[in-house]
Amino acid sequence: SRQNAAAEAVAEPTSDSSPITKFEELGTRDVVHKNVVSTLTREMGLETMTDVQSRTINEAIKGAGRIAQARTGTGKTLAFLLPILQRIINVDPDLARPSNSRRGPRTTADDIRALIVSPTRELAEQIAVEARRLVKNTGVIVQTAVGGTMKSQGLRNIQRDGCHILVGTP
């Protein structure tokens, strides 16, 4: 236990390594693109991260895997969506701009960069709604694949509009 604590202390960066607890700080420290931070703070009205968000977002953006368990309403969805979105933007910075200002080829159905699997249709739809709010000022497209009566409509939407983040059920 002491060795682990010592190793973690050595691994911590010394410059401005204090934990980020405010969404605005994600932008000022260049962790998250300014368009996304603007959406979070101005349009979604978020200021301070919840405990689960501050403990997961920073490390997940770096690519570290995280498992979190918390009560309903504690911000778990945003805690995993924000790192997914930022990692997509890191790979393709053009996606940080709204799609009407993007240059290049139109997004296609085979451009999926993230797959989110939910155990129920209802939860998949809730995740997709939150994801669409988050990507509003970017060129990232969110679609759902939940089966049932919406199966063919979801497929048509993906084929027509393309998809970067697909939220679905098994």
Side-chain angles (χ1 to χ4, degrees), residues 20-27 30-41 44 46-50 52-64 75-91 114 116 127 130-136 138 140 142 165:
I20 296 175
T21 59
K22 305 276 187 190
F23 286 103
E24 192 69 43
E25 287 180 77
L26 293 170
D30 289 327
V31 175
V32 174
H33 193 276
K34 63 181 180 177
N35 290 356
V36 178
V37 172
S38 175
T39 299
L40 288 165
T41 58
M44 296 173 76
L46 300 175
E47 184 179 319
T48 304
M49 293 182 189
T50 65
V52 72
Q53 291 166 341
S54 64
R55 291 176 179 233
T56 58
I57 288 173
N58 298 298
E59 295 303 313
I61 287 174
K62 296 175 192 172
K76 294 182 299 290
T77 302
L78 188 60
F80 72 80
L81 284 174
L82 183 57
I84 289 170
L85 176 58
Q86 185 57 45
R87 288 182 58 84
I88 289 170
I89 290 171
N90 288 348
V91 172
I116 300 168
I127 293 168
E130 189 73 8
R132 288 182 184 112
R133 288 179 64 203
L134 184 61
V135 305
K136 183 178 179 188
T138 72
V140 175
V142 177
I165 299 174

Side-chain angles (χ1 to χ4, degrees), residues 138-160:
T138 72
V140 175
I141 298 169
V142 177
Q143 299 284 4
T144 57
V146 294
T149 58
M150 302 294 285
K151 185 176 177 181
S152 60
Q153 179 185 352
L155 182 57
R156 280 193 303 273
N157 291 344
I158 292 168
Q159 291 171 334
R160 183 187 66 230

Side-chain angles (χ1 to χ4, degrees), residues 65-103:
R66 290 288 179 248
I67 296 176
Q69 181 177 352
R71 292 187 333 264
T72 301
T74 56
K76 294 182 299 290
T77 302
L78 188 60
F80 72 80
L81 284 174
L82 183 57
I84 289 170
L85 176 58
Q86 185 57 45
R87 288 182 58 84
I88 289 170
I89 290 171
N90 288 348
V91 172
D92 188 352
D94 286 343
L95 289 173
R97 293 189 302 272
S99 58
N100 59 2
S101 66
R102 272 186 72 207
R103 293 186 185 117

Side-chain angles (χ1 to χ4, degrees), residues 11-22:
E12 286 294 316
T14 56
S15 64
D16 203 12
S17 65
S18 60
I20 296 175
T21 59
K22 305 276 187 190

